[in-house]
């Protein structure tokens, strides 16, 4: 016997699957550039916007970011400039403790000061797209950036690449799409730079910094899943090759899942995850969570991740299948 709740769930799943199927039928993945942001669409429906010329205040550590990011069914899974942390920008590469500099935004936590406004908020400035290639799987954008301190002194040269592609995964009816992300950071400051976190400065369980995602308000209280099982805030600081978060949307009342997978070649892999369900939903790679990583001149550091955006919730098997597909995409992306 089917309960009313089960009937509603089935109807919702069917609606999502229909919307996603329609999106997959219109398989044309394209982009446009307005001089400040790249916008990516599938069959004419926007799924991601990458702002590479932000106009944020210096206190927010201006940097490129992805927002809005949506599922193929059109549900938005990011928030930008939330009132509680205006420096949170959808999905972005952001680091709070880079030597004496802050490339995260807001106050800086140090062992000597606690949280304090130290006038040290730097900026990651877009220099150029060296290539935007749509000839292979998906669309790959290659970008050069220069990181400067608040005084304008250049500190880090970054070569960044990201790829947006559709994923059709057996056993995962809704499928999804993936953002593959790669960053190579080179020290140009003239001195060694230690990259850490508030935890390396003495604040317990606050090792944020890396590829960081902030979810919409309605995702608060959602569920994490990895190969270790399911839960909420107990996933903070855990290590695993992949981790997923499922939340529910206001309005549509549908669920969406954001899954992070790490490239096994990353330094220190598997990294710890900065994972929070209560207060607000967020998830980030955190390769500097517990240990300061030295960035030395002539010794660039590279990190690679896949972020999958999927409609609906995932059980253990489908989550693992999606993670496998994400890691396979990373391995094949050259």
């Amino acid at each position: 016997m089917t309960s009313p709740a089960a009937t509603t769930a089935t109807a919702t799943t069917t609606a999502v699957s229909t919307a996603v199927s329609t999106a997959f039928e219109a398989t044309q993945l394209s982009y446009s550039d307005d001089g400040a942001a790249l916008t990516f669409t599938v069959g004419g429906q926007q799924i991601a916007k990458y702002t590479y010329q932000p106009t944020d205040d210096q206190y927010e550590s201006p940097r490129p970011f992805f927002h809005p990011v949506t599922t193929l069914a059109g549900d938005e899974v990011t928030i930008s400039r939330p009132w509680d942390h205006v420096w949170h920008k959808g999905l972005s590469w952001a680091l709070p403790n880079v030597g004496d500099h802050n490339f995260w935004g807001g106050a800086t936590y140090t062992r000597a000061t606690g949280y304090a406004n130290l006038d040290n908020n730097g900026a990651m400035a877009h220099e150029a797209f060296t290539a935007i290639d749509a000839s292979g799987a998906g669309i790959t954008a290659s970008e050069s950036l220069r990181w400067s301190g608040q005084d304008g002194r250049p500190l880090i040269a970054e070569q960044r690449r990201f790829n947006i592609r559709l994923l059709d995964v057996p056993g995962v009816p809704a499928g999804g799409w993936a953002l593959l992300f790669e960053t190579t950071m080179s020290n140009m400051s003239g001195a060694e730079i230690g990259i850490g976190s508030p935890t390396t400065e003495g604040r317990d369980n606050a090792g944020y910094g890396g590829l960081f995602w902030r979810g919409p308000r309605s995702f608060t209280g959602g569920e994490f899943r990895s190969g270790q099982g399911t839960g909420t805030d107990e996933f903070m600081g855990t290590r695993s090759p992949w981790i997923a978060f499922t939340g529910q949307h206001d309005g549509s009342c549908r669920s969406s899942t954001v899954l992070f997978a790490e490239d096994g070649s990353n330094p220190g892999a598997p990294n710890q995850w900065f994972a929070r369900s209560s207060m607000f939903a967020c998830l980030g790679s955190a390769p500097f969570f517990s240990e300061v990583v030295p960035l030395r001149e002539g010794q660039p550091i590279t990190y690679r991740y896949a972020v999958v955006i999927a409609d609906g919730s995932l059980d253990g098997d489908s989550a693992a299948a999606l993670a496998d597909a994400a890691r396979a995409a990373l391995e094949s992306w050259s």
Side-chain angles (χ1 to χ4, degrees):
M1 180 176 179
T2 303
S3 68
T7 301
T8 300
T10 301
T12 301
T13 301
T14 301
V16 170
S17 298
T18 300
V20 173
S21 296
T22 301
F24 270 115
E25 288 169 6
T27 55
Q28 184 180 4
L29 176 63
S30 61
Y31 79 95
S32 60
D33 184 354
D34 65 5
L38 300 179
T39 299
F40 296 87
T41 59
V42 175
Q45 175 183 299
Q46 180 176 318
I47 59 169
K49 181 177 182 179
Y50 180 67
T51 296
Y52 60 87
Q53 297 284 13
T55 58
D56 301 317
D57 184 83
Q58 190 71 34
Y59 183 67
E60 300 174 29
S61 294
R63 60 191 182 277
F65 60 92
F66 294 90
H67 174 79
V69 174
T70 70
T71 68
L72 293 176
D75 288 318
E76 193 168 310
V77 298
T78 53
I79 190 173
S80 184
R81 298 197 80 244
W83 61 263
D84 51 76
H85 295 76
V86 294
W87 47 90
H88 288 181
K89 311 289 181 181
L91 175 69
S92 71
W93 183 251
L95 306 179
N97 296 81
V98 181
D100 296 327
H101 304 273
N102 180 337
F103 290 93
W104 173 272
T108 303
Y109 189 94
T110 70
R111 196 175 300 276
T113 64
Y115 275 114
N117 293 321
L118 301 181
D119 294 327
N120 65 339
N121 295 90
M124 301 179 190
H126 167 87
E127 291 190 313
F129 286 112
T130 55
I132 300 180
D133 182 8
S135 63
I139 299 172
T140 294
S142 302
E143 181 183 17
S144 60
L145 303 100
R146 179 166 296 196
W147 301 22
S148 300
Q150 190 159 315
D151 60 2
R153 183 167 63 93
L155 300 169
I156 293 173
E158 181 192 358
Q159 296 299 315
R160 176 179 299 188
R161 295 194 309 146
F162 61 88
N163 170 276
I164 289 180
R165 64 177 65 188
L166 298 176
L167 287 181
D168 188 3
V169 183
V172 185
W177 65 272
L179 166 66
L180 311 182
F181 183 90
E182 176 185 281
T183 175
T184 298
M185 300 178 294
S186 300
N187 187 339
M188 57 187 301
S189 72
E192 181 177 305
I193 299 173
I195 305 177
S197 72
T199 291
T200 64
E201 286 292 319
R203 186 185 175 208
D204 185 52
N205 232 19
Y208 53 83
L211 187 60
F212 178 76
W213 163 77
R214 173 73 186 263
R217 296 282 181 192
S218 65
F219 276 28
T220 303
E223 182 179 73
F224 287 103
R225 177 185 292 277
S226 74
Q228 302 169 15
T230 60
T232 54
D233 288 346
E234 64 267 29
F235 276 79
M236 175 67 79
T238 58
R239 295 180 186 270
S240 60
W242 61 270
I243 186 170
F245 182 91
T246 298
Q248 191 168 11
H249 298 276
D250 291 330
S252 71
C253 298
R254 296 189 293 233
S255 295
S256 297
T257 298
V258 177
L259 182 147
F260 277 57
E262 181 179 20
D263 192 305
S265 67
N266 284 353
N271 73 188
Q272 291 175 274
W273 298 104
F274 186 80
R276 178 175 284 168
S277 173
S278 62
M279 291 182 60
F280 48 77
C282 66
L283 176 60
S285 67
F288 321 103
F289 194 113
S290 298
E291 295 182 5
V292 175
V293 176
L295 180 60
R296 302 183 176 98
E297 285 196 289
Q299 299 181 29
I301 302 176
T302 297
Y303 294 95
R304 305 176 84 236
Y305 301 94
V307 181
V308 180
I309 311 300
D311 287 284
S313 58
L314 303 175
D315 60 20
D317 290 341
S318 58
L322 206 59
D324 287 345
R327 287 181 289 181
L330 271 177
E331 290 175 5
S332 67
W333 182 45
S334 61

